[in-house]
């Protein structure tokens, strides 16, 4: 009987010591892994757009044209609200192809959301650059972030005309 008590007590003390000695890893900000930090962005306006010169009185102004498919520029998608926070994507388009992707907003209200974003956003960026549509596969374990990414990416692609 005393032998069992000694074994249980030793196991309990060892377990408590192990729990107290554990230090969880510190998480680095998402921006440190190559994802842009949220910043104000002009949405939907192609970069490098020139203002037409003023015309002399009495001259005809050419009719306005609709943006052609395959605009070049930087376009921010609409912010997609998810259960864990907002997701917003910005794409850079050149010649009708996506050449760069940034996450402007991501769920980061708690350590778990930040950890999920750190792991999923680089994969979502990679998928966005390699796919020809807004239907990225997504990341297992980041379902809400992946869904928000798809919705924001679709609106950015729509604004870009691709």
């Amino acid at each position: 009987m005393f032998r069992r008590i000694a074994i249980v007590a030793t196991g309990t003390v060892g377990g408590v010591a192990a729990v107290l000695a554990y230090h969880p890893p510190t998480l680095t900000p998402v921006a440190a892994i190559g994802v842009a930090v949220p910043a104000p962005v002009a949405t939907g306006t192609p970069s490098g757009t020139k203002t037409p010169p003023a015309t002399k009185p009495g001259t005809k102004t050419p009719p306005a044209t609709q943006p052609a498919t395959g605009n070049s520029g930087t376009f921010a998608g609409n912010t997609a609200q998810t259960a864990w926070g907002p997701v917003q994507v910005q794409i850079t388009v050149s010649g009708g192809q996506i050449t760069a992707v940034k996450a402007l907003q991501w769920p980061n209200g708690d350590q778990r959301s930040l950890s999920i974003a750190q792991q999923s956003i680089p994969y979502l960026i990679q998928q966005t650059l390699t796919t020809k549509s807004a239907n990225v596969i997504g990341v297992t374990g980041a379902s809400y972030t992946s869904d928000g990414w798809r919705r924001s990416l679709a609106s950015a692609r729509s604004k870009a005309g691709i």
Side-chain angles (χ1 to χ4, degrees):
M1 171 104 164
F2 289 113
R3 184 174 170 197
R4 286 185 184 168
I5 292 173
I7 292 172
V8 170
T10 303
T12 301
V13 169
V16 169
V19 168
L20 293 176
Y22 175 73
H23 296 287
T26 56
L27 300 174
T28 58
V30 175
I33 58 173
V35 179
V37 175
V41 173
T43 59
T45 305
S47 61
T49 303
K50 295 181 180 178
T51 306
T55 57
K56 295 179 187 176
T59 59
K60 277 188 145 180
T61 306
T65 58
Q66 294 295 326
T69 301
N71 283 335
S72 294
T74 301
F75 303 89
N78 297 335
T79 301
Q81 296 297 330
T82 70
W84 299 107
V87 176
Q88 186 178 21
V89 178
Q90 175 185 308
I91 59 173
T92 302
V93 177
S94 179
Q97 297 293 320
I98 296 175
T99 58
V101 182
K102 289 183 183 178
L104 298 179
Q105 295 183 52
W106 55 86
N108 63 358
D110 57 79
Q111 286 293 96
R112 181 164 168 75
S113 295
L114 181 59
S115 176
I116 290 170
Q118 285 178 313
Q119 295 172 31
S120 64
I121 289 175
Y123 289 110
L124 292 167
I125 288 172
Q126 181 183 14
Q127 289 178 24
T128 301
L129 291 171
T130 58
T131 187
K132 301 292 183 193
S133 69
N135 295 326
V136 296
I137 296 168
V139 178
T140 302
S143 301
Y144 290 102
T145 302
S146 296
D147 181 54
W149 187 275
R150 283 185 207 98
R151 290 185 281 143
S152 184
L153 177 60
S155 69
R157 289 176 57 88
S158 176
K159 289 177 183 179
I162 57 173

